[in-house]
Amino acid sequence: MENLIDIKAVRHSYRTASGPLPVLDGLELSVPEGGFVAVVGPSGCGKSTLTRLVAGLLIPDEGEVRVHGTRITAPRSNVGMAFQNPVLLEWRTILQNVLLPLEIVPTKLTKAQGEARARKLLALVGLEGFEGKRPSELSGGMKQRASLCRALIHSPEVLILDEPFGALDAFTREDLWQIMHRVKAEEPFTGVLITHDLRESIFLANQVVVLSGRPAKTQFVLDIPDTGPRTLDHLYTPEAATMLNTLRHQIEVAQGRAPAGAAA
Amino acid sequence: MKARQVYVPLIAVVVFLALWEALVWVMGWPNYKMASPSDLVPAYEKYWSLFLVMGWQTLWRTVVGLLLAVVFGIMLGMVMGFSRTMRDALYPLLVGFNAVPKATVVPIVALMFVGAHDFNTVLIAFIISFFPIAVSVSIGLSTLEPEYRDILRSLGASQSTIFWKIALPKTLPEFFGALKVSVTLAFIGTNLMEIVSPHGRGLGALFDSGKTNSDYPLMFAVLIALAFLGIVLYYVVVALEKVFAGWADRSV
Ligand SMILES: Nc1ncnc2c1ncn2[C@@H]1O[C@H](COP(=O)(O)OP(=O)(O)OP(=O)(O)O)[C@@H](O)[C@H]1O
Ligand SMILES: [Mg+2]
């Protein structure tokens, strides 16, 4: 199958005051068009670095990152990003915040069409009626939903989510998981989701990639079988328990707390 | 603006003047020790045209000096905000420059450009007031969370787009905070020069002539006029802040 994102044998070090810090070493990742890959791994292992590579914000020392077969050497306008920090602009309304990417990337949409699309996205995530509000008037979960709309407004080929739900409480997070499924059905995208929540990874993604500790390499890949529309109940099935156990064991290996091979 | 916001401060001013008048009356102070508000009225009546001319002199020179400080301060702040090396290089210089008491700089400048009175005054107003602006802009820019930058950079936005769309607006609240300090500083700078430089113009010179002629009510009248101009300038900045950075005000 043709992959939309292809990361091959990537090595990267940051130059720091105390010499080079190897962050990625032997990273492999492939995401087919329409795929949604969750990346988990120990804290500080290089997950955000991976997102910066895919976005073209960072060029790896070695190896290559390809999107649609083209090698990435600079930022391109075909990605959308959302982070743990929603980074909405306080001097703009929610609607204006969502429209921001259209002011930068070349677009075929007229102003009115862009606005209609923004309203549609906001309605899709349940923010109808909040278009004219300021970010500070929204709760954390609502801000994160607006940030998601902004990441999607220009119909990016790749959606990059770096722990977008990390700072939210458990209930709000589960709400947003379901919203993500709704969004994916309406606005298909190819996605990379960084997360430290294993339940989130198996609920949202169709593949979970476990990275080793720093310097990170691809340690383990788990395919999540497609069993039709997912509900939260799926997280409490024996199949889900098995997957979570496998992943938890892999994380312990990555953290160096368990020997590889031995099943949990 | 609600009526409340006008009459509450107005009442405060009236109360202040009444207390002042009462204090001078109770203590029985003569004019040369402390003039009372009622002594000031004749001073204004006698010299009202001078007050207008000199007040205008002081005002325009302060504003021009401040505008220069804004332009230069923003440029310096941008250089220091975007480049770490420039920040490390310029910061100690700036701090040292700012630490020199301006009362010592005033006579030097007055001698350096003797005769060029307008230029001198504008220069001092500028020198004394650009520091807070430069610091606030540089801090605002250098503390911009990287995610803000990344959101636009990942879309292929140029550095200047990032500056105009995010960095500059995000820095505006700090900028206006600094401008409120700077406007007062510029005003002080103008007056210092007007008092020190010979054959000066402006309210500072009027104050000086009050001193030479032992016209104490005139001196106090100048002080009040200065306070009034200072308040006006300050509130002009507040009004501008409301227009350009009103979004940062969470109190409403
Ligand atoms: N610009 C940089 N310069 C130097 N070191 C950096 C830089 N960015 C990240 N690092 C270091 O590289 C390592 C990997 O960082 P990265 O942010 O990719 O990790 P992460 O897996 O996203 O961590 P977290 O789980 O905390 O989000 C960390 O040790 C971090 O301190
Ligand atoms: Mg991270």
Side-chain angles (χ1 to χ4, degrees), chain B residues 17 20-25 29-31 34-42 217 220:
Chain B
L17 289 177
W20 178 3
E21 184 79 40
L23 184 70
V24 174
W25 186 76
W29 281 328
N31 255 346
M34 179 95 163
S36 66
S38 57
D39 298 325
L40 304 185
V41 178
F220 277 95

Coordinates of all heavy atoms in Angstrom, one line a residue, chain B residues 17 20-25 29-31 34-42 217 220:
Chain B
L17 N -7.8 69.3 47.0 CA -7.6 70.8 47.0 C -8.1 71.4 48.3 O -7.5 72.2 48.9 CB -8.3 71.4 45.8 CG -7.6 71.1 44.5 CD1 -8.4 71.7 43.3 CD2 -6.2 71.6 44.4
W20 N -5.8 70.6 51.1 CA -4.6 71.4 51.0 C -4.8 72.9 51.5 O -4.1 73.4 52.3 CB -4.2 71.4 49.5 CG -3.0 72.2 49.1 CD1 -2.2 72.9 49.9 CD2 -2.5 72.5 47.7 NE1 -1.2 73.6 49.2 CE2 -1.4 73.3 47.8 CE3 -2.9 72.0 46.5 CZ2 -0.7 73.7 46.7 CZ3 -2.2 72.4 45.4 CH2 -1.1 73.2 45.5
E21 N -5.9 73.5 51.0 CA -6.3 74.8 51.4 C -6.4 74.9 53.0 O -5.8 75.8 53.6 CB -7.6 75.2 50.8 CG -8.1 76.6 51.0 CD -7.4 77.6 50.1 OE1 -7.2 77.3 49.0 OE2 -7.0 78.7 50.6
A22 N -7.1 73.9 53.5 CA -7.3 73.9 55.0 C -6.0 73.8 55.7 O -5.8 74.4 56.7 CB -8.2 72.7 55.3
L23 N -5.1 72.9 55.2 CA -3.8 72.7 55.9 C -3.0 74.0 55.9 O -2.5 74.4 57.0 CB -3.0 71.6 55.1 CG -1.7 71.2 55.7 CD1 -1.9 70.4 57.0 CD2 -0.8 70.4 54.7
V24 N -2.9 74.7 54.8 CA -2.2 75.9 54.7 C -2.8 77.0 55.7 O -2.1 77.7 56.4 CB -2.1 76.5 53.3 CG1 -1.5 77.9 53.3 CG2 -1.4 75.5 52.4
W25 N -4.1 77.0 55.7 CA -4.9 78.0 56.6 C -4.7 77.7 58.0 O -4.4 78.5 58.8 CB -6.4 77.9 56.2 CG -7.2 78.9 56.8 CD1 -7.3 80.3 56.5 CD2 -8.1 78.8 57.9 NE1 -8.1 80.9 57.3 CE2 -8.7 80.0 58.2 CE3 -8.5 77.6 58.7 CZ2 -9.6 80.2 59.2 CZ3 -9.4 77.8 59.7 CH2 -9.9 79.1 60.0
W29 N 0.8 79.0 57.2 CA 2.0 79.1 56.4 C 1.9 80.3 55.4 O 0.9 80.6 54.8 CB 2.1 77.9 55.5 CG 2.7 76.7 56.3 CD1 3.6 76.7 57.3 CD2 2.4 75.3 56.0 NE1 3.9 75.5 57.8 CE2 3.2 74.6 57.0 CE3 1.6 74.6 55.1 CZ2 3.1 73.2 57.0 CZ3 1.6 73.3 55.2 CH2 2.3 72.6 56.1
P30 N 3.0 81.1 55.4 CA 3.1 82.2 54.4 C 3.3 81.6 53.0 O 3.7 80.4 52.9 CB 4.3 83.0 54.9 CG 5.2 82.0 55.6 CD 4.3 81.0 56.2
N31 N 3.1 82.5 52.0 CA 3.2 82.0 50.6 C 4.5 81.4 50.2 O 4.5 80.4 49.5 CB 3.0 83.3 49.7 CG 1.6 83.3 49.1 OD1 0.9 82.2 49.1 ND2 1.2 84.4 48.6
M34 N 4.5 77.7 51.6 CA 3.5 76.8 50.9 C 2.4 77.6 50.4 O 1.6 78.1 51.2 CB 3.1 75.7 51.9 CG 2.1 74.7 51.3 SD 3.0 73.3 50.7 CE 1.6 72.2 50.5
A35 N 2.2 77.7 49.1 CA 1.1 78.5 48.6 C -0.2 77.6 48.7 O -0.1 76.4 48.7 CB 1.3 78.8 47.1
S36 N -1.3 78.2 48.8 CA -2.6 77.4 48.9 C -3.3 77.5 47.5 O -3.0 78.4 46.7 CB -3.5 77.9 50.0 OG -3.9 79.2 49.7
P37 N -4.2 76.6 47.2 CA -4.9 76.6 45.9 C -5.5 78.0 45.6 O -5.5 78.4 44.4 CB -6.0 75.6 46.1 CG -5.4 74.6 47.1 CD -4.6 75.4 48.0
S38 N -6.0 78.7 46.6 CA -6.7 80.0 46.3 C -5.6 81.0 45.8 O -6.0 82.0 45.2 CB -7.4 80.5 47.6 OG -6.5 80.6 48.6
D39 N -4.4 80.8 46.2 CA -3.3 81.7 45.7 C -3.0 81.5 44.3 O -2.4 82.4 43.6 CB -2.0 81.6 46.5 CG -2.2 81.9 48.0 OD1 -3.0 82.8 48.3 OD2 -1.6 81.2 48.8
L40 N -3.3 80.3 43.8 CA -2.9 79.9 42.5 C -3.8 80.6 41.4 O -3.3 80.9 40.3 CB -3.0 78.4 42.3 CG -2.2 77.6 43.3 CD1 -2.2 76.1 42.9 CD2 -0.7 78.1 43.3
V41 N -5.0 80.8 41.8 CA -6.0 81.4 40.8 C -5.4 82.7 40.2 O -5.4 82.9 39.0 CB -7.4 81.5 41.4 CG1 -8.3 82.2 40.4 CG2 -7.9 80.2 41.9
P42 N -5.0 83.6 41.1 CA -4.4 84.9 40.5 C -3.2 84.6 39.6 O -3.1 85.3 38.6 CB -4.0 85.7 41.8 CG -4.7 85.1 42.9 CD -5.0 83.7 42.5
P217 N 3.6 81.6 44.3 CA 2.4 81.1 43.8 C 2.6 80.6 42.3 O 2.0 79.6 41.9 CB 1.4 82.3 43.8 CG 1.9 83.1 45.0 CD 3.4 82.9 45.0
F220 N 4.2 77.1 42.3 CA 3.2 76.1 42.6 C 2.2 75.9 41.4 O 1.7 74.8 41.1 CB 2.4 76.5 43.9 CG 3.2 76.0 45.1 CD1 4.0 76.9 45.8 CD2 3.1 74.7 45.6 CE1 4.7 76.5 46.9 CE2 3.8 74.3 46.7 CZ 4.6 75.2 47.4

